[in-house]
Amino acid sequence: LDVINLQEELDKRLQQRQARETGICPVREELYSQTFDELIRQVTINCAERGLLLLRVRDEIRMTIAAYQTLYESSVAFGMRKALQAEQGKSDLENRIVQLESEKKDLERQIQDLKVVMQHCY
């Protein structure tokens, strides 16, 4: 009976607080966390050992989720740095192309000048 009441209360609160059904939703996460804590409390009343084991499982899950969040955030930051580096690299290469084209024109002019000098010599 307690479980059914708890489930109905969870569903009601999810609806009241307009928690999203999919994706990352802090509201949904909070409500499920509160419900899980209440389940642990109820189990602990009947069997302390089971309750303590559930506490350990809950804490381990929270640490794992926190580690995944940290990993996700650092990978997003890494991706952003790489994208910025790629943009900078692209800009540097475009500047280098302009510089090389200018040098090519200068060399072509020098070739033409030397051809003119050569023609005057012969």
Side-chain angles (χ1 to χ4, degrees):
L1 187 63
D2 283 341
V3 173
I4 294 171
N5 289 337
L6 191 57
Q7 184 174 1
E8 288 173 354
E9 181 66 21
L10 172 63
D11 292 338
K12 183 178 84 173
R13 291 174 72 195
L14 285 168
Q15 224 172 14
Q16 283 175 344
R17 300 219 13 222
Q18 299 176 341
R20 288 187 298 239
E21 292 182 21
T22 58
I24 296 172
C25 177
V27 171
R28 191 178 81 233
E29 180 184 348
E30 176 191 346
L31 293 175
Y32 272 95
S33 179
Q34 290 170 0
T35 302
F36 193 52
D37 289 345
E38 177 58 20
L39 272 174
I40 292 171
R41 188 191 70 74
Q42 290 177 12
V43 168
T44 305
I45 290 170
N46 294 326
C47 178
E49 292 82 8
R50 278 193 185 124
L52 290 174
L53 183 58
L54 282 173
L55 281 172
R56 283 181 58 194
V57 169
R58 180 202 63 193
D59 292 344
E60 182 62 31
I61 288 170
R62 285 181 178 169
M63 286 191 313
T64 301
I65 289 171
Y68 280 127
Q69 286 174 331
T70 300
L71 182 62
Y72 171 77
E73 289 165 4
S74 69
S75 67
V76 167
F78 177 80
M80 291 297 290
R81 280 194 309 276
K82 285 297 179 185
L84 289 172
Q85 287 174 353
E87 269 307 306
Q88 181 62 44
K90 180 181 173 186
S91 176
D92 291 347
L93 288 174
E94 288 170 345
N95 290 337
R96 181 75 173 133
I97 288 170
V98 169
Q99 177 189 355
L100 289 172
E101 285 175 345
S102 175
E103 288 177 21
K104 177 185 165 196
K105 286 179 185 173
D106 288 344
L107 290 171
E108 286 173 345
R109 270 190 239 108
Q110 287 179 17
I111 290 171
Q112 289 304 319
D113 292 346
L114 289 172
K115 282 183 180 179
V116 168
V117 169
M118 295 277 293
Q119 285 177 352
H120 289 301
C121 290
Y122 294 105

